[in-house]
């Protein structure tokens, strides 16, 4: 079954002394009502690890994850558990990590250990309900010392460690370069490859101040936005995904773990882009997960200029975007 849904940030935004959020049951009911069957849960390991003591997790925190899983199972929703910030690496504010996941053995050992803990805790939960997405958006090749070889070695080691405990667990790996670069070198290890849908960044991340490339960009148009040496339209996006389709031809399942558009892009431009992107996912028969459900990238009260909201199931929903998401499921 193809998986379609949203990212939920229930254990994502960490602060000292802060607990994870409880599951949003109303949101999960909305997914059921509208036919979605997938929830991705990006996590920050600092919720259960203090002072880089990777091998002594506070497992009481995992009771929140247990609850997320329980509520998803009740609704026949698949939950994908992701480490967004792990020992020695995060795509956001990597500088606050003590160690380097790509170069330091202690971080690599700590990373594998986190997944061994999860594998033991959730052993026996059918993969129909739970998958492990090992690491959100590894860096560019060469960044922080990461190479394809170092990444592949760590991923293979982690997959083997999980399978020694829970051989049937469904496992997901994100593309390199922030989820953009396909990984043919890992086509033969029996895992799902997770891509991204944020291209062109000059459209999806217009005025997104956390992205280094946001400064000086004009208000985006679409189609035929000129950026990064290309004229962006449906054909350009199709070409962007060619390396992923080549990996798919090797027998790999591809899923889009994140995609979306920040709310500073004009709504008519965003919708034209969404229409092209989602039609390609339907053509490729790829599942997908919007970043996020409620917020500046979501379908609920995202705040994009020109959007029309409809009161639906207790939310103010961008109905045009919701309809596009529904129409392009396989």
């Amino acid at each position: 079954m193809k998986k379609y849904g949203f990212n939920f940030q229930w254990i994502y935004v960490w602060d000292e002394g802060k607990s994870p959020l409880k599951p949003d049951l109303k949101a999960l009911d909305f997914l059921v009502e509208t036919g979605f069957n997938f929830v991705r849960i990006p996590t920050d390991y600092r919720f259960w690890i203090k002072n880089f003591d990777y091998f002594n997790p506070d497992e009481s925190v995992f009771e929140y994850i247990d609850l997320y899983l329980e509520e998803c199972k009740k609704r026949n929703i698949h939950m994908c558990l992701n480490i967004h910030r792990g020992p020695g690496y995060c795509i956001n504010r990597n500088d606050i990590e003590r160690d380097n996941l790509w170069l330091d053995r202690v971080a690599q050992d700590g990373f594998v250990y986190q997944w061994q803990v999860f594998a033991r805790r959730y052993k026996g939960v059918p993969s129909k309900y739970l998958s492990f997405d090992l690491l959100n958006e590894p860096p560019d090749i060469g960044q922080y010392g990461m190479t394809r070889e170092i990444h592949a070695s760590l991923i293979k080691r982690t997959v083997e460690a999980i399978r020694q405990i829970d051989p049937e667990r469904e496992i997901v790996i994100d593309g390199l370069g922030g989820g953009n670069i396909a990984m043919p070198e890992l086509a033969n290890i029996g895992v799902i490859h997770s891509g991204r849908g944020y291209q062109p960044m000059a459209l999806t991340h217009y005025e997104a101040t956390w992205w280094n490339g946001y400064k000086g960009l004009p208000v985006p148009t679409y189609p035929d936005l000129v950026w990064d040496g290309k004229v962006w339209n449906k054909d350009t996006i199709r070409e962007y995904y060619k390396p992923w389709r080549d990996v798919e031809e090797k027998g790999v399942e591809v899923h889009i773990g994140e995609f979306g558009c920040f709310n500073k892009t004009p709504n008519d431009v965003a919708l034209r882009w969404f229409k092209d992107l989602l039609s390609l996912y339907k053509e490729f028969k790829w599942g997908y997960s919007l970043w996020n459900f409620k917020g500046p990238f979501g379908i609920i009260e995202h705040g994009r200029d020109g959007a029309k909201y409809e009161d639906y199931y207790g939310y103010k929903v961008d109905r045009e975007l919701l309809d596009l998401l529904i129409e392009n499921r396989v």
Side-chain angles (χ1 to χ4, degrees):
M1 179 184 293
K2 299 297 180 182
K3 303 181 184 80
Y4 302 95
F6 302 87
N7 285 260
F8 284 89
Q9 298 164 316
W10 296 332
I11 187 168
Y12 173 74
V13 181
W14 177 86
D15 202 358
E16 190 70 48
K18 182 178 180 179
S19 295
L21 302 176
K22 292 182 179 179
D24 186 338
L25 304 187
K26 178 182 170 184
L28 293 177
D29 288 340
F30 178 95
L31 266 61
V32 174
E33 177 71 18
T34 49
F36 293 96
N37 62 0
F38 178 88
V39 164
R40 182 172 181 261
I41 306 292
T43 69
D44 184 328
Y45 80 107
R46 293 175 295 175
F47 276 103
W48 61 86
I49 295 292
K50 304 303 179 188
N51 300 316
F52 308 105
D53 188 6
Y54 306 136
F55 304 98
N56 288 290
D58 177 1
E59 296 201 24
S60 68
V61 174
F62 300 153
E63 293 173 10
Y64 285 91
I65 300 174
D66 297 346
L67 190 55
Y68 305 158
L69 180 59
E70 177 186 344
E71 294 299 339
C72 286
K73 285 174 65 180
K74 284 180 184 177
R75 294 162 175 81
N76 206 30
I77 293 172
H78 180 95
M79 189 182 95
C80 180
L81 181 64
N82 165 248
I83 288 183
H84 190 279
R85 177 178 292 277
Y89 178 71
C90 184
I91 194 167
N92 307 121
R93 289 298 312 276
N94 187 66
D95 59 291
I96 65 177
E97 293 299 316
R98 185 192 69 184
D99 304 309
N100 182 325
L101 179 60
W102 315 110
L103 300 179
D104 297 334
R105 182 72 184 197
V106 65
Q108 294 175 357
D109 290 349
F111 177 76
V112 173
Y113 183 75
Q114 309 310 303
W115 284 115
Q116 290 174 313
V117 170
F118 286 135
R120 284 189 289 268
R121 189 175 189 93
Y122 298 115
K123 182 179 181 180
V125 176
S127 285
K128 173 183 178 182
Y129 296 115
L130 178 67
S131 58
F132 291 166
D133 181 353
L134 300 186
L135 182 67
N136 183 72
E137 299 179 357
D140 280 322
I141 297 165
Q143 190 177 19
Y144 310 127
M146 192 211 72
T147 64
R148 282 190 183 269
E149 293 75 20
I150 289 171
H151 173 263
S153 176
L154 178 62
I155 291 298
K156 289 177 181 178
R157 180 186 167 197
T158 308
V159 168
E160 178 61 26
I162 292 169
R163 288 180 173 158
Q164 285 180 357
I165 298 166
D166 188 357
E168 303 304 316
R169 176 62 53 220
E170 184 172 273
I171 298 173
V172 181
I173 58 173
D174 288 10
L176 305 179
N180 290 287
I181 300 172
M183 302 163 291
E185 66 274 15
L186 291 170
N188 63 349
I189 63 171
V191 300
I192 295 170
H193 288 217
S194 179
R196 291 297 179 267
Y198 292 124
Q199 299 298 330
M201 292 284 286
L203 185 154
T204 65
H205 283 62
Y206 175 64
E207 292 194 2
T209 56
W210 64 90
W211 174 51
N212 290 336
Y214 87 97
K215 293 182 180 178
L217 291 175
V219 177
T221 58
Y222 187 85
D224 299 331
L225 171 70
V226 178
W227 179 71
D228 197 29
K230 300 176 183 177
V231 179
W232 286 88
N233 50 42
K234 186 173 179 178
D235 289 338
T236 321
I237 299 172
R238 182 192 300 278
E239 183 64 22
Y240 160 77
Y241 283 119
K242 186 179 185 304
W244 290 84
R245 301 196 76 199
D246 291 343
V247 171
E248 186 179 37
E249 288 181 0
K250 299 177 182 288
V252 170
E253 179 181 344
V254 174
H255 186 267
I256 301 300
E258 290 184 24
F259 71 106
C261 184
F262 190 45
N263 65 3
K264 302 304 181 184
T265 297
N267 195 61
D268 61 327
V269 173
L271 287 175
R272 288 194 294 272
W273 173 79
F274 271 118
K275 183 176 180 180
D276 279 357
L277 185 74
L278 288 164
S279 70
L280 287 172
Y281 295 162
K282 185 174 184 178
E283 176 187 330
F284 300 158
K285 297 182 171 60
W286 289 353
Y288 54 71
S289 180
L290 184 71
W291 184 281
N292 40 10
F293 179 70
K294 184 178 181 180
F297 280 81
I299 61 166
I300 307 297
E301 302 169 12
H302 52 59
R304 195 176 295 119
D305 270 353
K308 298 175 182 177
Y309 297 108
E310 177 181 308
D311 291 324
Y312 183 68
Y313 215 80
Y315 291 109
K316 291 189 179 301
V317 180
D318 181 341
R319 186 72 212 202
E320 290 179 280
L321 179 53
L322 176 61
D323 286 346
L324 281 173
L325 293 170
I326 291 172
E327 288 165 9
N328 287 284
R329 297 189 303 225
V330 176

